[in-house]
Structures are given as C-alpha cells and as structure tokens.
Amino acid sequence: MMEKKQLPNTLFFTWVEEEIAQSHQVRIRLIGTSINPFLRNGISEVVLVPCKPEELKLLDVVLFRYRGGHVLHRIVRITPDGYTLQGDGVWASCEQCTATDIVARVAYVYRTPQKRLSVTSLSWRLYSKIWHFLRPVRRWLLRLYFLLWRKHAI
Amino acid sequence: MLRHIAGETIVVNQGSSHTDMTRIISLNSTARFMWENLEGNDFTLKEAVHLLVEHYGISEEQACADAAGWVERLKACGAILEN
C-alpha cells in the first residue's frame, strides 16, 4: 500500500529550498562519503535552518548550490568574493561559492537518528576545530578511517 | 501533511516551523483514500478496517491486515500518533 521513496535530487532540493524560504527548519538524511568521518552516508541526518550571509562563520556547515546540484560542506575560508568549502571527508578538493548560492546552514547534526547534537555544543565545535587543524594529515587519517569503518562508510 | 510531487502523493511530517524530510512515504490510491478520510481525526483500527470494507468490499481479514500496515507505516514517519 505504501513504500519508502527517494525523490530525484533536483525535486528534493527544490522542496528543501521552498521550505527554507518559508523560514522552516528542515531535517534531511545525508548521502555521500564527503561528510565522513563524523557524519555517515545514509545514516546521519542534519537540521537545516535559514541563514543570512552576515551570520555565516568559518567552519559552519552549509547547504549550497554547486554546478547544478546541491552540496553540504564546511566553510573553510571566507573572502570578500565568497566562500571556499570542503567536505570533512575530503583532503584535496574544495568548492567555491558566493553568498547567493548558500541555501541554509546546519543547526543540529544527528550522527545516528536518535542522537542530536547542536553545532553550538562544545563537542561539535571541538571536533570541527580539531578536524580542520588536521587538514595537512587528513588524507592519512581518512584512509585509516575508511579501512577501519569500510562497512559503514561506503 | 499530504503533498503531490512528480506524480506521487506523499506524506511528510510537517509542523508549523519544521519539516522532517527523512521519513517521506509515498501513498498509493488506497492509502491516499484512507488518509483523506481519516486525516485530522482520532480513529480506531476498527474504524479504519470498516472504511476499507465499506469502500472496497474486501474481506474483514484483508482489510485488517491492510489497515494495520497503513497505521504502522504512518506511525513510523510520525504522521500518526498512538493514544
């Protein structure tokens, strides 16, 4: 009578943008390994909230439009021209976007659906800072992580 | 809340200030009929079964299985609350 559906990405994110435009908080499940190691592919969820460009800070995780799609990554650099973003599970590539490309910022993360963590909590801020600081050796840490947690990460 | 997207009728858990898009459920015509007739009301499983039997003329046993499945799935996405 009923079945679980995965909407096409374009439709899904059009809907997310509509909800955000109405000042709604939106909870979504994450797909992809570029958000590892803290957040997990197909398991972790985030709550998105509307945001203004002037509120955005370094290391905030945001949903932004990129090359015709939508990406959820962390701000790693802010310049007068825009933002540089990188996924926590990535060590080399970055994306560039402007303030108008940013749809929403993450306010809460659920590593597993039952465990909510605010991005203002000490543990999330510590994780964010330490993981950012470890960027030069992230490549090796991620390789180790994927080896150890292959089952969950892929 | 019921929405129509890309030819699908779906149920999403939506409050006045939040939308949970992690548990979206697609409804077929029967599930939609039940939703449209029971939405916003308190009802018992027996009443849901009666609705199916009346409308589709199926056996009570079949209606009971269908109604129970419908309730379970909608409970899982937070669209139905059990009192």
mmCIF file with all atom_site columns, all heavy atoms in Angstrom, chain A residues 1-3 5 11 15 18-19 24-27 29, chain B residues 3 6 14 16-19 21-22 26 28 70 73:
data_model
loop_
_atom_site.group_PDB
_atom_site.id
_atom_site.type_symbol
_atom_site.label_atom_id
_atom_site.label_alt_id
_atom_site.label_comp_id
_atom_site.label_asym_id
_atom_site.label_entity_id
_atom_site.label_seq_id
_atom_site.pdbx_PDB_ins_code
_atom_site.Cartn_x
_atom_site.Cartn_y
_atom_site.Cartn_z
_atom_site.occupancy
_atom_site.B_iso_or_equiv
_atom_site.pdbx_formal_charge
_atom_site.auth_seq_id
_atom_site.auth_comp_id
_atom_site.auth_asym_id
_atom_site.auth_atom_id
_atom_site.pdbx_PDB_model_num
ATOM 1   N N   . MET A 1 1  ? 0.822  -1.202 0.000  1.00 0.00 ? 1  MET A N   1
ATOM 2   C CA  . MET A 1 1  ? 0.000  0.000  0.000  1.00 0.00 ? 1  MET A CA  1
ATOM 3   C C   . MET A 1 1  ? 0.868  1.270  0.000  1.00 0.00 ? 1  MET A C   1
ATOM 4   O O   . MET A 1 1  ? 0.550  2.255  -0.624 1.00 0.00 ? 1  MET A O   1
ATOM 5   C CB  . MET A 1 1  ? -0.896 -0.010 1.233  1.00 0.00 ? 1  MET A CB  1
ATOM 6   C CG  . MET A 1 1  ? -1.978 1.063  1.220  1.00 0.00 ? 1  MET A CG  1
ATOM 7   S SD  . MET A 1 1  ? -2.883 1.114  2.737  1.00 0.00 ? 1  MET A SD  1
ATOM 8   C CE  . MET A 1 1  ? -4.041 -0.204 2.523  1.00 0.00 ? 1  MET A CE  1
ATOM 9   N N   . MET A 1 2  ? 2.010  1.166  0.710  1.00 0.00 ? 2  MET A N   1
ATOM 10  C CA  . MET A 1 2  ? 2.905  2.321  0.760  1.00 0.00 ? 2  MET A CA  1
ATOM 11  C C   . MET A 1 2  ? 4.333  1.842  0.625  1.00 0.00 ? 2  MET A C   1
ATOM 12  O O   . MET A 1 2  ? 4.660  0.727  0.958  1.00 0.00 ? 2  MET A O   1
ATOM 13  C CB  . MET A 1 2  ? 2.763  3.029  2.102  1.00 0.00 ? 2  MET A CB  1
ATOM 14  C CG  . MET A 1 2  ? 1.495  3.793  2.238  1.00 0.00 ? 2  MET A CG  1
ATOM 15  S SD  . MET A 1 2  ? 1.278  4.381  3.905  1.00 0.00 ? 2  MET A SD  1
ATOM 16  C CE  . MET A 1 2  ? 0.825  2.909  4.734  1.00 0.00 ? 2  MET A CE  1
ATOM 17  N N   . GLU A 1 3  ? 5.181  2.716  0.116  1.00 0.00 ? 3  GLU A N   1
ATOM 18  C CA  . GLU A 1 3  ? 6.578  2.336  0.043  1.00 0.00 ? 3  GLU A CA  1
ATOM 19  C C   . GLU A 1 3  ? 7.442  3.560  0.303  1.00 0.00 ? 3  GLU A C   1
ATOM 20  O O   . GLU A 1 3  ? 7.019  4.687  0.105  1.00 0.00 ? 3  GLU A O   1
ATOM 21  C CB  . GLU A 1 3  ? 6.905  1.746  -1.324 1.00 0.00 ? 3  GLU A CB  1
ATOM 22  C CG  . GLU A 1 3  ? 6.528  2.662  -2.464 1.00 0.00 ? 3  GLU A CG  1
ATOM 23  C CD  . GLU A 1 3  ? 6.902  2.066  -3.812 1.00 0.00 ? 3  GLU A CD  1
ATOM 24  O OE1 . GLU A 1 3  ? 8.035  1.611  -3.941 1.00 0.00 ? 3  GLU A OE1 1
ATOM 25  O OE2 . GLU A 1 3  ? 6.043  2.069  -4.701 1.00 0.00 ? 3  GLU A OE2 1
ATOM 26  N N   . LYS A 1 5  ? 10.194 6.193  -0.505 1.00 0.00 ? 5  LYS A N   1
ATOM 27  C CA  . LYS A 1 5  ? 10.590 6.754  -1.794 1.00 0.00 ? 5  LYS A CA  1
ATOM 28  C C   . LYS A 1 5  ? 11.841 7.592  -1.629 1.00 0.00 ? 5  LYS A C   1
ATOM 29  O O   . LYS A 1 5  ? 12.038 8.244  -0.618 1.00 0.00 ? 5  LYS A O   1
ATOM 30  C CB  . LYS A 1 5  ? 9.477  7.669  -2.314 1.00 0.00 ? 5  LYS A CB  1
ATOM 31  C CG  . LYS A 1 5  ? 8.306  6.917  -2.867 1.00 0.00 ? 5  LYS A CG  1
ATOM 32  C CD  . LYS A 1 5  ? 8.543  6.544  -4.302 1.00 0.00 ? 5  LYS A CD  1
ATOM 33  C CE  . LYS A 1 5  ? 7.451  5.636  -4.821 1.00 0.00 ? 5  LYS A CE  1
ATOM 34  N NZ  . LYS A 1 5  ? 7.749  5.122  -6.147 1.00 0.00 ? 5  LYS A NZ  1
ATOM 35  N N   . LEU A 1 11 ? 14.249 17.554 -7.498 1.00 0.00 ? 11 LEU A N   1
ATOM 36  C CA  . LEU A 1 11 ? 12.949 17.815 -6.873 1.00 0.00 ? 11 LEU A CA  1
ATOM 37  C C   . LEU A 1 11 ? 13.093 17.954 -5.360 1.00 0.00 ? 11 LEU A C   1
ATOM 38  O O   . LEU A 1 11 ? 12.503 18.828 -4.740 1.00 0.00 ? 11 LEU A O   1
ATOM 39  C CB  . LEU A 1 11 ? 11.992 16.655 -7.156 1.00 0.00 ? 11 LEU A CB  1
ATOM 40  C CG  . LEU A 1 11 ? 11.318 16.641 -8.513 1.00 0.00 ? 11 LEU A CG  1
ATOM 41  C CD1 . LEU A 1 11 ? 10.530 15.375 -8.683 1.00 0.00 ? 11 LEU A CD1 1
ATOM 42  C CD2 . LEU A 1 11 ? 10.408 17.862 -8.623 1.00 0.00 ? 11 LEU A CD2 1
ATOM 43  N N   . TRP A 1 15 ? 12.315 21.358 -3.147 1.00 0.00 ? 15 TRP A N   1
ATOM 44  C CA  . TRP A 1 15 ? 11.394 21.332 -1.994 1.00 0.00 ? 15 TRP A CA  1
ATOM 45  C C   . TRP A 1 15 ? 12.093 21.869 -0.744 1.00 0.00 ? 15 TRP A C   1
ATOM 46  O O   . TRP A 1 15 ? 11.532 22.697 -0.007 1.00 0.00 ? 15 TRP A O   1
ATOM 47  C CB  . TRP A 1 15 ? 10.922 19.893 -1.804 1.00 0.00 ? 15 TRP A CB  1
ATOM 48  C CG  . TRP A 1 15 ? 9.894  19.698 -0.732 1.00 0.00 ? 15 TRP A CG  1
ATOM 49  C CD1 . TRP A 1 15 ? 9.273  20.668 -0.002 1.00 0.00 ? 15 TRP A CD1 1
ATOM 50  C CD2 . TRP A 1 15 ? 9.389  18.452 -0.273 1.00 0.00 ? 15 TRP A CD2 1
ATOM 51  N NE1 . TRP A 1 15 ? 8.403  20.091 0.887  1.00 0.00 ? 15 TRP A NE1 1
ATOM 52  C CE2 . TRP A 1 15 ? 8.458  18.742 0.732  1.00 0.00 ? 15 TRP A CE2 1
ATOM 53  C CE3 . TRP A 1 15 ? 9.630  17.118 -0.624 1.00 0.00 ? 15 TRP A CE3 1
ATOM 54  C CZ2 . TRP A 1 15 ? 7.781  17.725 1.408  1.00 0.00 ? 15 TRP A CZ2 1
ATOM 55  C CZ3 . TRP A 1 15 ? 8.947  16.123 0.051  1.00 0.00 ? 15 TRP A CZ3 1
ATOM 56  C CH2 . TRP A 1 15 ? 8.039  16.427 1.045  1.00 0.00 ? 15 TRP A CH2 1
ATOM 57  N N   . GLU A 1 18 ? 12.214 25.534 -0.929 1.00 0.00 ? 18 GLU A N   1
ATOM 58  C CA  . GLU A 1 18 ? 10.884 26.128 -0.666 1.00 0.00 ? 18 GLU A CA  1
ATOM 59  C C   . GLU A 1 18 ? 10.621 26.210 0.831  1.00 0.00 ? 18 GLU A C   1
ATOM 60  O O   . GLU A 1 18 ? 10.121 27.207 1.341  1.00 0.00 ? 18 GLU A O   1
ATOM 61  C CB  . GLU A 1 18 ? 9.788  25.264 -1.301 1.00 0.00 ? 18 GLU A CB  1
ATOM 62  C CG  . GLU A 1 18 ? 9.634  25.450 -2.798 1.00 0.00 ? 18 GLU A CG  1
ATOM 63  C CD  . GLU A 1 18 ? 8.658  24.426 -3.394 1.00 0.00 ? 18 GLU A CD  1
ATOM 64  O OE1 . GLU A 1 18 ? 7.852  23.826 -2.638 1.00 0.00 ? 18 GLU A OE1 1
ATOM 65  O OE2 . GLU A 1 18 ? 8.730  24.221 -4.599 1.00 0.00 ? 18 GLU A OE2 1
ATOM 66  N N   . GLU A 1 19 ? 10.957 25.135 1.534  1.00 0.00 ? 19 GLU A N   1
ATOM 67  C CA  . GLU A 1 19 ? 10.726 25.108 2.985  1.00 0.00 ? 19 GLU A CA  1
ATOM 68  C C   . GLU A 1 19 ? 11.590 26.149 3.695  1.00 0.00 ? 19 GLU A C   1
ATOM 69  O O   . GLU A 1 19 ? 11.118 26.853 4.589  1.00 0.00 ? 19 GLU A O   1
ATOM 70  C CB  . GLU A 1 19 ? 11.030 23.714 3.548  1.00 0.00 ? 19 GLU A CB  1
ATOM 71  C CG  . GLU A 1 19 ? 10.122 22.607 3.032  1.00 0.00 ? 19 GLU A CG  1
ATOM 72  C CD  . GLU A 1 19 ? 8.669  22.769 3.469  1.00 0.00 ? 19 GLU A CD  1
ATOM 73  O OE1 . GLU A 1 19 ? 8.418  23.356 4.530  1.00 0.00 ? 19 GLU A OE1 1
ATOM 74  O OE2 . GLU A 1 19 ? 7.779  22.327 2.708  1.00 0.00 ? 19 GLU A OE2 1
ATOM 75  N N   . HIS A 1 24 ? 11.200 27.631 7.493  1.00 0.00 ? 24 HIS A N   1
ATOM 76  C CA  . HIS A 1 24 ? 11.077 26.346 8.183  1.00 0.00 ? 24 HIS A CA  1
ATOM 77  C C   . HIS A 1 24 ? 12.446 25.733 8.422  1.00 0.00 ? 24 HIS A C   1
ATOM 78  O O   . HIS A 1 24 ? 13.364 25.895 7.626  1.00 0.00 ? 24 HIS A O   1
ATOM 79  C CB  . HIS A 1 24 ? 10.258 25.360 7.335  1.00 0.00 ? 24 HIS A CB  1
ATOM 80  C CG  . HIS A 1 24 ? 8.805  25.674 7.305  1.00 0.00 ? 24 HIS A CG  1
ATOM 81  N ND1 . HIS A 1 24 ? 7.926  25.058 6.447  1.00 0.00 ? 24 HIS A ND1 1
ATOM 82  C CD2 . HIS A 1 24 ? 8.069  26.551 8.024  1.00 0.00 ? 24 HIS A CD2 1
ATOM 83  C CE1 . HIS A 1 24 ? 6.711  25.545 6.644  1.00 0.00 ? 24 HIS A CE1 1
ATOM 84  N NE2 . HIS A 1 24 ? 6.770  26.455 7.589  1.00 0.00 ? 24 HIS A NE2 1
ATOM 85  N N   . GLN A 1 25 ? 12.553 25.000 9.530  1.00 0.00 ? 25 GLN A N   1
ATOM 86  C CA  . GLN A 1 25 ? 13.714 24.136 9.723  1.00 0.00 ? 25 GLN A CA  1
ATOM 87  C C   . GLN A 1 25 ? 13.440 22.860 8.935  1.00 0.00 ? 25 GLN A C   1
ATOM 88  O O   . GLN A 1 25 ? 12.305 22.389 8.916  1.00 0.00 ? 25 GLN A O   1
ATOM 89  C CB  . GLN A 1 25 ? 13.877 23.761 11.192 1.00 0.00 ? 25 GLN A CB  1
ATOM 90  C CG  . GLN A 1 25 ? 14.159 24.938 12.086 1.00 0.00 ? 25 GLN A CG  1
ATOM 91  C CD  . GLN A 1 25 ? 14.535 24.498 13.483 1.00 0.00 ? 25 GLN A CD  1
ATOM 92  O OE1 . GLN A 1 25 ? 14.552 23.318 13.812 1.00 0.00 ? 25 GLN A OE1 1
ATOM 93  N NE2 . GLN A 1 25 ? 14.866 25.464 14.318 1.00 0.00 ? 25 GLN A NE2 1
ATOM 94  N N   . VAL A 1 26 ? 14.463 22.310 8.315  1.00 0.00 ? 26 VAL A N   1
ATOM 95  C CA  . VAL A 1 26 ? 14.262 21.112 7.505  1.00 0.00 ? 26 VAL A CA  1
ATOM 96  C C   . VAL A 1 26 ? 15.261 20.039 7.923  1.00 0.00 ? 26 VAL A C   1
ATOM 97  O O   . VAL A 1 26 ? 16.464 20.288 7.989  1.00 0.00 ? 26 VAL A O   1
ATOM 98  C CB  . VAL A 1 26 ? 14.462 21.416 6.002  1.00 0.00 ? 26 VAL A CB  1
ATOM 99  C CG1 . VAL A 1 26 ? 14.186 20.167 5.167  1.00 0.00 ? 26 VAL A CG1 1
ATOM 100 C CG2 . VAL A 1 26 ? 13.545 22.532 5.555  1.00 0.00 ? 26 VAL A CG2 1
ATOM 101 N N   . ARG A 1 27 ? 14.710 18.851 8.213  1.00 0.00 ? 27 ARG A N   1
ATOM 102 C CA  . ARG A 1 27 ? 15.606 17.740 8.581  1.00 0.00 ? 27 ARG A CA  1
ATOM 103 C C   . ARG A 1 27 ? 15.781 16.822 7.367  1.00 0.00 ? 27 ARG A C   1
ATOM 104 O O   . ARG A 1 27 ? 14.795 16.374 6.771  1.00 0.00 ? 27 ARG A O   1
ATOM 105 C CB  . ARG A 1 27 ? 14.986 16.970 9.753  1.00 0.00 ? 27 ARG A CB  1
ATOM 106 C CG  . ARG A 1 27 ? 15.856 15.825 10.246 1.00 0.00 ? 27 ARG A CG  1
ATOM 107 C CD  . ARG A 1 27 ? 15.345 15.357 11.585 1.00 0.00 ? 27 ARG A CD  1
ATOM 108 N NE  . ARG A 1 27 ? 15.916 14.079 11.974 1.00 0.00 ? 27 ARG A NE  1
ATOM 109 C CZ  . ARG A 1 27 ? 15.768 13.521 13.164 1.00 0.00 ? 27 ARG A CZ  1
ATOM 110 N NH1 . ARG A 1 27 ? 15.068 14.154 14.093 1.00 0.00 ? 27 ARG A NH1 1
ATOM 111 N NH2 . ARG A 1 27 ? 16.298 12.363 13.440 1.00 0.00 ? 27 ARG A NH2 1
ATOM 112 N N   . ARG A 1 29 ? 18.303 13.528 5.506  1.00 0.00 ? 29 ARG A N   1
ATOM 113 C CA  . ARG A 1 29 ? 19.318 12.478 5.684  1.00 0.00 ? 29 ARG A CA  1
ATOM 114 C C   . ARG A 1 29 ? 20.436 12.710 4.668  1.00 0.00 ? 29 ARG A C   1
ATOM 115 O O   . ARG A 1 29 ? 20.173 13.158 3.554  1.00 0.00 ? 29 ARG A O   1
ATOM 116 C CB  . ARG A 1 29 ? 18.688 11.098 5.483  1.00 0.00 ? 29 ARG A CB  1
ATOM 117 C CG  . ARG A 1 29 ? 19.635 9.962  5.817  1.00 0.00 ? 29 ARG A CG  1
ATOM 118 C CD  . ARG A 1 29 ? 18.940 8.620  5.825  1.00 0.00 ? 29 ARG A CD  1
ATOM 119 N NE  . ARG A 1 29 ? 17.856 8.591  6.793  1.00 0.00 ? 29 ARG A NE  1
ATOM 120 C CZ  . ARG A 1 29 ? 16.573 8.381  6.469  1.00 0.00 ? 29 ARG A CZ  1
ATOM 121 N NH1 . ARG A 1 29 ? 16.226 8.160  5.230  1.00 0.00 ? 29 ARG A NH1 1
ATOM 122 N NH2 . ARG A 1 29 ? 15.649 8.375  7.396  1.00 0.00 ? 29 ARG A NH2 1
ATOM 123 N N   . ARG B 2 3  ? 1.368  15.834 0.232  1.00 0.00 ? 3  ARG B N   1
ATOM 124 C CA  . ARG B 2 3  ? 1.881  16.696 -0.854 1.00 0.00 ? 3  ARG B CA  1
ATOM 125 C C   . ARG B 2 3  ? 1.878  15.929 -2.160 1.00 0.00 ? 3  ARG B C   1
ATOM 126 O O   . ARG B 2 3  ? 1.944  14.702 -2.157 1.00 0.00 ? 3  ARG B O   1
ATOM 127 C CB  . ARG B 2 3  ? 3.307  17.140 -0.540 1.00 0.00 ? 3  ARG B CB  1
ATOM 128 C CG  . ARG B 2 3  ? 3.366  18.190 0.538  1.00 0.00 ? 3  ARG B CG  1
ATOM 129 C CD  . ARG B 2 3  ? 4.720  18.828 0.598  1.00 0.00 ? 3  ARG B CD  1
ATOM 130 N NE  . ARG B 2 3  ? 5.077  19.509 -0.612 1.00 0.00 ? 3  ARG B NE  1
ATOM 131 C CZ  . ARG B 2 3  ? 5.611  20.729 -0.653 1.00 0.00 ? 3  ARG B CZ  1
ATOM 132 N NH1 . ARG B 2 3  ? 5.786  21.402 0.447  1.00 0.00 ? 3  ARG B NH1 1
ATOM 133 N NH2 . ARG B 2 3  ? 5.961  21.272 -1.793 1.00 0.00 ? 3  ARG B NH2 1
ATOM 134 N N   . ALA B 2 6  ? 5.891  15.305 -8.409 1.00 0.00 ? 6  ALA B N   1
ATOM 135 C CA  . ALA B 2 6  ? 6.322  14.438 -9.519 1.00 0.00 ? 6  ALA B CA  1
ATOM 136 C C   . ALA B 2 6  ? 5.374  13.258 -9.710 1.00 0.00 ? 6  ALA B C   1
ATOM 137 O O   . ALA B 2 6  ? 5.808  12.116 -9.882 1.00 0.00 ? 6  ALA B O   1
ATOM 138 C CB  . ALA B 2 6  ? 7.743  13.948 -9.269 1.00 0.00 ? 6  ALA B CB  1
ATOM 139 N N   . GLN B 2 14 ? 5.227  17.362 8.969  1.00 0.00 ? 14 GLN B N   1
ATOM 140 C CA  . GLN B 2 14 ? 5.466  18.796 8.891  1.00 0.00 ? 14 GLN B CA  1
ATOM 141 C C   . GLN B 2 14 ? 4.744  19.533 10.001 1.00 0.00 ? 14 GLN B C   1
ATOM 142 O O   . GLN B 2 14 ? 3.538  19.391 10.179 1.00 0.00 ? 14 GLN B O   1
ATOM 143 C CB  . GLN B 2 14 ? 4.977  19.315 7.530  1.00 0.00 ? 14 GLN B CB  1
ATOM 144 C CG  . GLN B 2 14 ? 5.326  20.761 7.272  1.00 0.00 ? 14 GLN B CG  1
ATOM 145 C CD  . GLN B 2 14 ? 5.243  21.090 5.800  1.00 0.00 ? 14 GLN B CD  1
ATOM 146 O OE1 . GLN B 2 14 ? 4.347  20.630 5.108  1.00 0.00 ? 14 GLN B OE1 1
ATOM 147 N NE2 . GLN B 2 14 ? 6.171  21.876 5.308  1.00 0.00 ? 14 GLN B NE2 1
ATOM 148 N N   . SER B 2 16 ? 4.505  23.519 12.207 1.00 0.00 ? 16 SER B N   1
ATOM 149 C CA  . SER B 2 16 ? 4.368  24.906 11.769 1.00 0.00 ? 16 SER B CA  1
ATOM 150 C C   . SER B 2 16 ? 5.724  25.518 11.428 1.00 0.00 ? 16 SER B C   1
ATOM 151 O O   . SER B 2 16 ? 5.813  26.439 10.619 1.00 0.00 ? 16 SER B O   1
ATOM 152 C CB  . SER B 2 16 ? 3.670  25.725 12.849 1.00 0.00 ? 16 SER B CB  1
ATOM 153 O OG  . SER B 2 16 ? 4.404  25.617 14.046 1.00 0.00 ? 16 SER B OG  1
ATOM 154 N N   . SER B 2 17 ? 6.798  25.001 12.040 1.00 0.00 ? 17 SER B N   1
ATOM 155 C CA  . SER B 2 17 ? 8.101  25.622 11.782 1.00 0.00 ? 17 SER B CA  1
ATOM 156 C C   . SER B 2 17 ? 9.169  24.613 11.348 1.00 0.00 ? 17 SER B C   1
ATOM 157 O O   . SER B 2 17 ? 10.326 24.960 11.226 1.00 0.00 ? 17 SER B O   1
ATOM 158 C CB  . SER B 2 17 ? 8.580  26.340 13.048 1.00 0.00 ? 17 SER B CB  1
ATOM 159 O OG  . SER B 2 17 ? 8.761  25.389 14.073 1.00 0.00 ? 17 SER B OG  1
ATOM 160 N N   . HIS B 2 18 ? 8.770  23.352 11.164 1.00 0.00 ? 18 HIS B N   1
ATOM 161 C CA  . HIS B 2 18 ? 9.780  22.380 10.755 1.00 0.00 ? 18 HIS B CA  1
ATOM 162 C C   . HIS B 2 18 ? 9.193  21.362 9.771  1.00 0.00 ? 18 HIS B C   1
ATOM 163 O O   . HIS B 2 18 ? 7.991  21.109 9.766  1.00 0.00 ? 18 HIS B O   1
ATOM 164 C CB  . HIS B 2 18 ? 10.338 21.632 11.973 1.00 0.00 ? 18 HIS B CB  1
ATOM 165 C CG  . HIS B 2 18 ? 9.378  20.636 12.533 1.00 0.00 ? 18 HIS B CG  1
ATOM 166 N ND1 . HIS B 2 18 ? 8.416  20.975 13.453 1.00 0.00 ? 18 HIS B ND1 1
ATOM 167 C CD2 . HIS B 2 18 ? 9.209  19.316 12.262 1.00 0.00 ? 18 HIS B CD2 1
ATOM 168 C CE1 . HIS B 2 18 ? 7.704  19.897 13.726 1.00 0.00 ? 18 HIS B CE1 1
ATOM 169 N NE2 . HIS B 2 18 ? 8.159  18.876 13.027 1.00 0.00 ? 18 HIS B NE2 1
ATOM 170 N N   . THR B 2 19 ? 10.064 20.814 8.968  1.00 0.00 ? 19 THR B N   1
ATOM 171 C CA  . THR B 2 19 ? 9.669  19.766 8.033  1.00 0.00 ? 19 THR B CA  1
ATOM 172 C C   . THR B 2 19 ? 10.689 18.643 8.129  1.00 0.00 ? 19 THR B C   1
ATOM 173 O O   . THR B 2 19 ? 11.882 18.877 7.981  1.00 0.00 ? 19 THR B O   1
ATOM 174 C CB  . THR B 2 19 ? 9.647  20.305 6.588  1.00 0.00 ? 19 THR B CB  1
ATOM 175 O OG1 . THR B 2 19 ? 8.797  21.450 6.555  1.00 0.00 ? 19 THR B OG1 1
ATOM 176 C CG2 . THR B 2 19 ? 9.113  19.262 5.616  1.00 0.00 ? 19 THR B CG2 1
ATOM 177 N N   . MET B 2 21 ? 12.140 15.729 6.383  1.00 0.00 ? 21 MET B N   1
ATOM 178 C CA  . MET B 2 21 ? 12.174 15.102 5.064  1.00 0.00 ? 21 MET B CA  1
ATOM 179 C C   . MET B 2 21 ? 12.979 13.797 5.072  1.00 0.00 ? 21 MET B C   1
ATOM 180 O O   . MET B 2 21 ? 13.371 13.303 4.028  1.00 0.00 ? 21 MET B O   1
ATOM 181 C CB  . MET B 2 21 ? 12.715 16.094 4.033  1.00 0.00 ? 21 MET B CB  1
ATOM 182 C CG  . MET B 2 21 ? 11.702 17.219 3.815  1.00 0.00 ? 21 MET B CG  1
ATOM 183 S SD  . MET B 2 21 ? 12.284 18.586 2.817  1.00 0.00 ? 21 MET B SD  1
ATOM 184 C CE  . MET B 2 21 ? 12.487 17.812 1.240  1.00 0.00 ? 21 MET B CE  1
ATOM 185 N N   . THR B 2 22 ? 13.202 13.261 6.250  1.00 0.00 ? 22 THR B N   1
ATOM 186 C CA  . THR B 2 22 ? 13.938 11.989 6.333  1.00 0.00 ? 22 THR B CA  1
ATOM 187 C C   . THR B 2 22 ? 12.986 10.801 6.278  1.00 0.00 ? 22 THR B C   1
ATOM 188 O O   . THR B 2 22 ? 13.417 9.678  6.109  1.00 0.00 ? 22 THR B O   1
ATOM 189 C CB  . THR B 2 22 ? 14.757 11.897 7.633  1.00 0.00 ? 22 THR B CB  1
ATOM 190 O OG1 . THR B 2 22 ? 13.860 11.924 8.742  1.00 0.00 ? 22 THR B OG1 1
ATOM 191 C CG2 . THR B 2 22 ? 15.756 13.025 7.744  1.00 0.00 ? 22 THR B CG2 1
ATOM 192 N N   . SER B 2 26 ? 5.362  7.414  0.280  1.00 0.00 ? 26 SER B N   1
ATOM 193 C CA  . SER B 2 26 ? 4.524  7.545  -0.909 1.00 0.00 ? 26 SER B CA  1
ATOM 194 C C   . SER B 2 26 ? 3.246  6.730  -0.715 1.00 0.00 ? 26 SER B C   1
ATOM 195 O O   . SER B 2 26 ? 3.297  5.602  -0.229 1.00 0.00 ? 26 SER B O   1
ATOM 196 C CB  . SER B 2 26 ? 5.320  7.025  -2.110 1.00 0.00 ? 26 SER B CB  1
ATOM 197 O OG  . SER B 2 26 ? 4.493  6.991  -3.231 1.00 0.00 ? 26 SER B OG  1
ATOM 198 N N   . ASN B 2 28 ? -0.253 4.969  -2.301 1.00 0.00 ? 28 ASN B N   1
ATOM 199 C CA  . ASN B 2 28 ? -1.000 4.577  -3.498 1.00 0.00 ? 28 ASN B CA  1
ATOM 200 C C   . ASN B 2 28 ? -2.454 5.030  -3.320 1.00 0.00 ? 28 ASN B C   1
ATOM 201 O O   . ASN B 2 28 ? -2.797 5.685  -2.325 1.00 0.00 ? 28 ASN B O   1
ATOM 202 C CB  . ASN B 2 28 ? -0.866 3.072  -3.771 1.00 0.00 ? 28 ASN B CB  1
ATOM 203 C CG  . ASN B 2 28 ? -1.555 2.239  -2.709 1.00 0.00 ? 28 ASN B CG  1
ATOM 204 O OD1 . ASN B 2 28 ? -2.310 2.760  -1.878 1.00 0.00 ? 28 ASN B OD1 1
ATOM 205 N ND2 . ASN B 2 28 ? -1.302 0.947  -2.714 1.00 0.00 ? 28 ASN B ND2 1
ATOM 206 N N   . TRP B 2 70 ? -0.956 0.113  7.124  1.00 0.00 ? 70 TRP B N   1
ATOM 207 C CA  . TRP B 2 70 ? -1.056 1.566  6.869  1.00 0.00 ? 70 TRP B CA  1
ATOM 208 C C   . TRP B 2 70 ? -0.739 2.357  8.142  1.00 0.00 ? 70 TRP B C   1
ATOM 209 O O   . TRP B 2 70 ? 0.035  3.310  8.129  1.00 0.00 ? 70 TRP B O   1
ATOM 210 C CB  . TRP B 2 70 ? -2.473 1.839  6.380  1.00 0.00 ? 70 TRP B CB  1
ATOM 211 C CG  . TRP B 2 70 ? -2.796 3.261  6.027  1.00 0.00 ? 70 TRP B CG  1
ATOM 212 C CD1 . TRP B 2 70 ? -2.513 3.898  4.865  1.00 0.00 ? 70 TRP B CD1 1
ATOM 213 C CD2 . TRP B 2 70 ? -3.503 4.205  6.848  1.00 0.00 ? 70 TRP B CD2 1
ATOM 214 N NE1 . TRP B 2 70 ? -2.985 5.191  4.908  1.00 0.00 ? 70 TRP B NE1 1
ATOM 215 C CE2 . TRP B 2 70 ? -3.594 5.405  6.104  1.00 0.00 ? 70 TRP B CE2 1
ATOM 216 C CE3 . TRP B 2 70 ? -4.057 4.161  8.125  1.00 0.00 ? 70 TRP B CE3 1
ATOM 217 C CZ2 . TRP B 2 70 ? -4.219 6.540  6.602  1.00 0.00 ? 70 TRP B CZ2 1
ATOM 218 C CZ3 . TRP B 2 70 ? -4.685 5.296  8.621  1.00 0.00 ? 70 TRP B CZ3 1
ATOM 219 C CH2 . TRP B 2 70 ? -4.768 6.468  7.865  1.00 0.00 ? 70 TRP B CH2 1
ATOM 220 N N   . ARG B 2 73 ? 3.095  2.109  9.126  1.00 0.00 ? 73 ARG B N   1
ATOM 221 C CA  . ARG B 2 73 ? 3.993  2.913  8.294  1.00 0.00 ? 73 ARG B CA  1
ATOM 222 C C   . ARG B 2 73 ? 3.836  4.409  8.597  1.00 0.00 ? 73 ARG B C   1
ATOM 223 O O   . ARG B 2 73 ? 4.823  5.131  8.638  1.00 0.00 ? 73 ARG B O   1
ATOM 224 C CB  . ARG B 2 73 ? 3.725  2.662  6.817  1.00 0.00 ? 73 ARG B CB  1
ATOM 225 C CG  . ARG B 2 73 ? 4.022  1.250  6.351  1.00 0.00 ? 73 ARG B CG  1
ATOM 226 C CD  . ARG B 2 73 ? 5.510  0.927  6.468  1.00 0.00 ? 73 ARG B CD  1
ATOM 227 N NE  . ARG B 2 73 ? 6.338  1.775  5.643  1.00 0.00 ? 73 ARG B NE  1
ATOM 228 C CZ  . ARG B 2 73 ? 6.600  1.552  4.357  1.00 0.00 ? 73 ARG B CZ  1
ATOM 229 N NH1 . ARG B 2 73 ? 6.101  0.505  3.765  1.00 0.00 ? 73 ARG B NH1 1
ATOM 230 N NH2 . ARG B 2 73 ? 7.369  2.374  3.686  1.00 0.00 ? 73 ARG B NH2 1
#
